[in-house]
Amino acid sequence: MTSMADAPTGKVTFVGAGPGAADLLTFRAARAIAEADVVIWAASLVQAEVLDHARADAEILDSAAMSLEDVVAVYERALAQGLKVARIHSGDPALWGGTQEQLDRCRALGIETEVVPGVSSFSAVAALAQRELTIPEVAQSVILTRLGGGKTPMPPGEEVREFARHGTTMAIFLSAARSGQLVRELLEGGYPTNTPVVIAYQATWPEELVARCTIETLEETVKEHKLWKHTLFLVGPALDAQGTRSHLYHPGHFHGYRKADPEARKALREARGRGGTP
């Protein structure tokens, strides 16, 4: 007789596979895939090399042909048979991954879950462009959003034009198919036409494309390269800002591991009083 303690329980691990490149998986993500009896992955969004981590006898399923109900049926089987499932999502599961509805159903089933974070495409694009998105005195916030008007409506107040009023760095997903609308909303929000933009298609994939332009030339750049999906936009003055300096590594800044140079400390205070950076 099998006791409740010995009964199969199973586990579903939601794995952030990053923007595409297999070598941007975390060690934890690779381990979850290697331990899985069943691997569900999005073949169109994740490079096939991530499956190199899977066991030879693992069951591999492409989520492109599966509905939510199909996926949940796999989780039900995992619960009944004590299987480990690795559900691979592109980027980070916390962003536009459809993970919450799956987590909710897993909790209703009573199956154990884990979420493994992944490198988001906005981080990957910033790395490809070799730009920091938060520059002292220029931008200290990053807004992650998408253009309204698609399959999923935007809640009130979350339109691109509303976020653009902040004038800081924006990472705009899922919007290449309506580049004209994107330009209009960015300008309506107050960005100047010469605001720098980085456009990235299939970031970290072999066919990746990274283009630099401005809001004024954004639409024509998108159309020139025939971009309509798998494209991300970084927008904001931080993308070409020069001549600023972080206070963290200034000799006048002190913390628990470093003493400040007295003269540099004085200069730093004076600069702050003037509203500038030495």
Side-chain angles (χ1 to χ4, degrees), residues 52-65:
D52 291 345
H53 297 284
R55 300 198 318 258
D57 63 339
E59 180 182 359
I60 310 295
L61 301 173
D62 184 354
S63 62

PDB file of all heavy atoms in Angstrom, residues 52-65:
ATOM      1  N   ASP A  52      20.062  20.767 -25.816  1.00  0.00           N
ATOM      2  CA  ASP A  52      21.256  19.945 -25.599  1.00  0.00           C
ATOM      3  C   ASP A  52      21.394  19.574 -24.131  1.00  0.00           C
ATOM      4  O   ASP A  52      22.051  18.592 -23.791  1.00  0.00           O
ATOM      5  CB  ASP A  52      22.518  20.685 -26.065  1.00  0.00           C
ATOM      6  CG  ASP A  52      22.578  20.852 -27.571  1.00  0.00           C
ATOM      7  OD1 ASP A  52      21.813  20.165 -28.272  1.00  0.00           O
ATOM      8  OD2 ASP A  52      23.371  21.685 -28.043  1.00  0.00           O
ATOM      9  N   HIS A  53      20.771  20.368 -23.259  1.00  0.00           N
ATOM     10  CA  HIS A  53      20.842  20.084 -21.819  1.00  0.00           C
ATOM     11  C   HIS A  53      19.870  18.982 -21.408  1.00  0.00           C
ATOM     12  O   HIS A  53      19.984  18.433 -20.314  1.00  0.00           O
ATOM     13  CB  HIS A  53      20.539  21.355 -21.024  1.00  0.00           C
ATOM     14  CG  HIS A  53      21.526  22.457 -21.239  1.00  0.00           C
ATOM     15  ND1 HIS A  53      22.784  22.459 -20.669  1.00  0.00           N
ATOM     16  CD2 HIS A  53      21.447  23.591 -21.968  1.00  0.00           C
ATOM     17  CE1 HIS A  53      23.430  23.550 -21.036  1.00  0.00           C
ATOM     18  NE2 HIS A  53      22.642  24.255 -21.819  1.00  0.00           N
ATOM     19  N   ALA A  54      18.890  18.684 -22.264  1.00  0.00           N
ATOM     20  CA  ALA A  54      17.871  17.703 -21.915  1.00  0.00           C
ATOM     21  C   ALA A  54      18.416  16.276 -21.998  1.00  0.00           C
ATOM     22  O   ALA A  54      19.335  15.983 -22.778  1.00  0.00           O
ATOM     23  CB  ALA A  54      16.671  17.850 -22.838  1.00  0.00           C
ATOM     24  N   ARG A  55      17.837  15.391 -21.193  1.00  0.00           N
ATOM     25  CA  ARG A  55      18.223  13.985 -21.245  1.00  0.00           C
ATOM     26  C   ARG A  55      17.784  13.378 -22.576  1.00  0.00           C
ATOM     27  O   ARG A  55      16.801  13.816 -23.189  1.00  0.00           O
ATOM     28  CB  ARG A  55      17.554  13.194 -20.111  1.00  0.00           C
ATOM     29  CG  ARG A  55      17.899  13.666 -18.716  1.00  0.00           C
ATOM     30  CD  ARG A  55      17.567  12.569 -17.694  1.00  0.00           C
ATOM     31  NE  ARG A  55      16.303  11.909 -17.972  1.00  0.00           N
ATOM     32  CZ  ARG A  55      15.159  12.147 -17.328  1.00  0.00           C
ATOM     33  NH1 ARG A  55      15.120  13.079 -16.386  1.00  0.00           N
ATOM     34  NH2 ARG A  55      14.060  11.476 -17.622  1.00  0.00           N
ATOM     35  N   ALA A  56      18.496  12.355 -22.996  1.00  0.00           N
ATOM     36  CA  ALA A  56      18.182  11.704 -24.267  1.00  0.00           C
ATOM     37  C   ALA A  56      16.789  11.076 -24.243  1.00  0.00           C
ATOM     38  O   ALA A  56      16.127  10.976 -25.284  1.00  0.00           O
ATOM     39  CB  ALA A  56      19.233  10.644 -24.584  1.00  0.00           C
ATOM     40  N   ASP A  57      16.350  10.649 -23.051  1.00  0.00           N
ATOM     41  CA  ASP A  57      15.041   9.999 -22.953  1.00  0.00           C
ATOM     42  C   ASP A  57      13.925  10.946 -22.549  1.00  0.00           C
ATOM     43  O   ASP A  57      12.788  10.531 -22.303  1.00  0.00           O
ATOM     44  CB  ASP A  57      15.099   8.832 -21.964  1.00  0.00           C
ATOM     45  CG  ASP A  57      15.421   9.293 -20.542  1.00  0.00           C
ATOM     46  OD1 ASP A  57      15.975  10.403 -20.386  1.00  0.00           O
ATOM     47  OD2 ASP A  57      15.128   8.540 -19.600  1.00  0.00           O
ATOM     48  N   ALA A  58      14.207  12.242 -22.481  1.00  0.00           N
ATOM     49  CA  ALA A  58      13.170  13.210 -22.091  1.00  0.00           C
ATOM     50  C   ALA A  58      12.147  13.374 -23.204  1.00  0.00           C
ATOM     51  O   ALA A  58      12.465  13.301 -24.390  1.00  0.00           O
ATOM     52  CB  ALA A  58      13.808  14.559 -21.765  1.00  0.00           C
ATOM     53  N   GLU A  59      10.903  13.593 -22.817  1.00  0.00           N
ATOM     54  CA  GLU A  59       9.841  13.864 -23.775  1.00  0.00           C
ATOM     55  C   GLU A  59       9.891  15.355 -24.121  1.00  0.00           C
ATOM     56  O   GLU A  59       9.847  16.204 -23.233  1.00  0.00           O
ATOM     57  CB  GLU A  59       8.482  13.507 -23.160  1.00  0.00           C
ATOM     58  CG  GLU A  59       7.304  13.759 -24.073  1.00  0.00           C
ATOM     59  CD  GLU A  59       5.969  13.436 -23.414  1.00  0.00           C
ATOM     60  OE1 GLU A  59       5.965  12.988 -22.238  1.00  0.00           O
ATOM     61  OE2 GLU A  59       4.922  13.645 -24.063  1.00  0.00           O
ATOM     62  N   ILE A  60       9.994  15.671 -25.411  1.00  0.00           N
ATOM     63  CA  ILE A  60      10.115  17.055 -25.864  1.00  0.00           C
ATOM     64  C   ILE A  60       8.830  17.466 -26.571  1.00  0.00           C
ATOM     65  O   ILE A  60       8.402  16.813 -27.525  1.00  0.00           O
ATOM     66  CB  ILE A  60      11.312  17.235 -26.828  1.00  0.00           C
ATOM     67  CG1 ILE A  60      12.592  16.630 -26.234  1.00  0.00           C
ATOM     68  CG2 ILE A  60      11.485  18.700 -27.182  1.00  0.00           C
ATOM     69  CD1 ILE A  60      13.084  17.328 -24.987  1.00  0.00           C
ATOM     70  N   LEU A  61       8.221  18.559 -26.111  1.00  0.00           N
ATOM     71  CA  LEU A  61       6.979  19.052 -26.690  1.00  0.00           C
ATOM     72  C   LEU A  61       7.145  20.513 -27.101  1.00  0.00           C
ATOM     73  O   LEU A  61       7.705  21.308 -26.350  1.00  0.00           O
ATOM     74  CB  LEU A  61       5.834  18.947 -25.675  1.00  0.00           C
ATOM     75  CG  LEU A  61       5.525  17.543 -25.128  1.00  0.00           C
ATOM     76  CD1 LEU A  61       4.494  17.639 -24.005  1.00  0.00           C
ATOM     77  CD2 LEU A  61       5.022  16.636 -26.242  1.00  0.00           C
ATOM     78  N   ASP A  62       6.656  20.858 -28.305  1.00  0.00           N
ATOM     79  CA  ASP A  62       6.716  22.238 -28.785  1.00  0.00           C
ATOM     80  C   ASP A  62       5.424  22.940 -28.402  1.00  0.00           C
ATOM     81  O   ASP A  62       4.330  22.552 -28.833  1.00  0.00           O
ATOM     82  CB  ASP A  62       6.901  22.247 -30.298  1.00  0.00           C
ATOM     83  CG  ASP A  62       7.077  23.653 -30.867  1.00  0.00           C
ATOM     84  OD1 ASP A  62       6.947  24.635 -30.096  1.00  0.00           O
ATOM     85  OD2 ASP A  62       7.343  23.780 -32.076  1.00  0.00           O
ATOM     86  N   SER A  63       5.519  23.989 -27.611  1.00  0.00           N
ATOM     87  CA  SER A  63       4.333  24.678 -27.117  1.00  0.00           C
ATOM     88  C   SER A  63       3.568  25.414 -28.211  1.00  0.00           C
ATOM     89  O   SER A  63       2.416  25.808 -28.003  1.00  0.00           O
ATOM     90  CB  SER A  63       4.712  25.660 -26.011  1.00  0.00           C
ATOM     91  OG  SER A  63       5.583  26.663 -26.514  1.00  0.00           O
ATOM     92  N   ALA A  64       4.196  25.608 -29.378  1.00  0.00           N
ATOM     93  CA  ALA A  64       3.531  26.335 -30.457  1.00  0.00           C
ATOM     94  C   ALA A  64       2.237  25.652 -30.886  1.00  0.00           C
ATOM     95  O   ALA A  64       1.290  26.311 -31.311  1.00  0.00           O
ATOM     96  CB  ALA A  64       4.469  26.481 -31.647  1.00  0.00           C
ATOM     97  N   ALA A  65       2.198  24.341 -30.776  1.00  0.00           N
ATOM     98  CA  ALA A  65       1.017  23.578 -31.197  1.00  0.00           C
ATOM     99  C   ALA A  65       0.093  23.248 -30.032  1.00  0.00           C
ATOM    100  O   ALA A  65      -0.856  22.483 -30.199  1.00  0.00           O
ATOM    101  CB  ALA A  65       1.461  22.296 -31.892  1.00  0.00           C
TER     102      ALA A  65
END
